[in-house]
Amino acid sequence: MIKIYDKICVDAVVQSKIANNGFWKFNTIMYMSAFLCINFMTIAIILKSILPLELGDFYEKKA
């Protein structure tokens, strides 16, 4: 899985350097951050449906 993310990140940097000569760093970080955020949210939603845990399940409630 990490190899896939590495390939995506390297490809994004290389393509952005070719397309945007001066302003490529900001564009690359923004697009990669959005892409990785969408992936993280998808995994979180899938795990939430498989393992229906609430935040309160991890600690005891004080009355």
Side-chain angles (χ1 to χ4, degrees):
M1 188 70 145
I2 296 203
K3 289 182 182 181
I4 293 171
Y5 284 120
D6 286 343
K7 287 181 182 181
I8 290 170
C9 292
V10 169
D11 186 50
V13 169
V14 169
Q15 293 297 323
S16 185
K17 278 185 177 181
I18 293 170
N20 305 320
N21 290 333
F23 201 58
W24 66 271
K25 291 179 184 178
F26 180 75
N27 289 339
T28 304
I29 293 296
M30 293 306 292
Y31 287 125
M32 285 183 359
S33 296
F35 173 73
L36 294 175
C37 179
I38 291 169
N39 283 342
F40 177 74
M41 288 184 343
T42 304
I43 291 170
I45 289 170
I46 291 170
L47 287 177
K48 179 71 174 172
S49 66
I50 294 171
L51 304 170
L53 297 174
E54 296 295 325
L55 184 60
D57 293 342
F58 294 110
Y59 64 92
E60 294 181 22
K61 294 181 181 177
K62 295 181 181 177

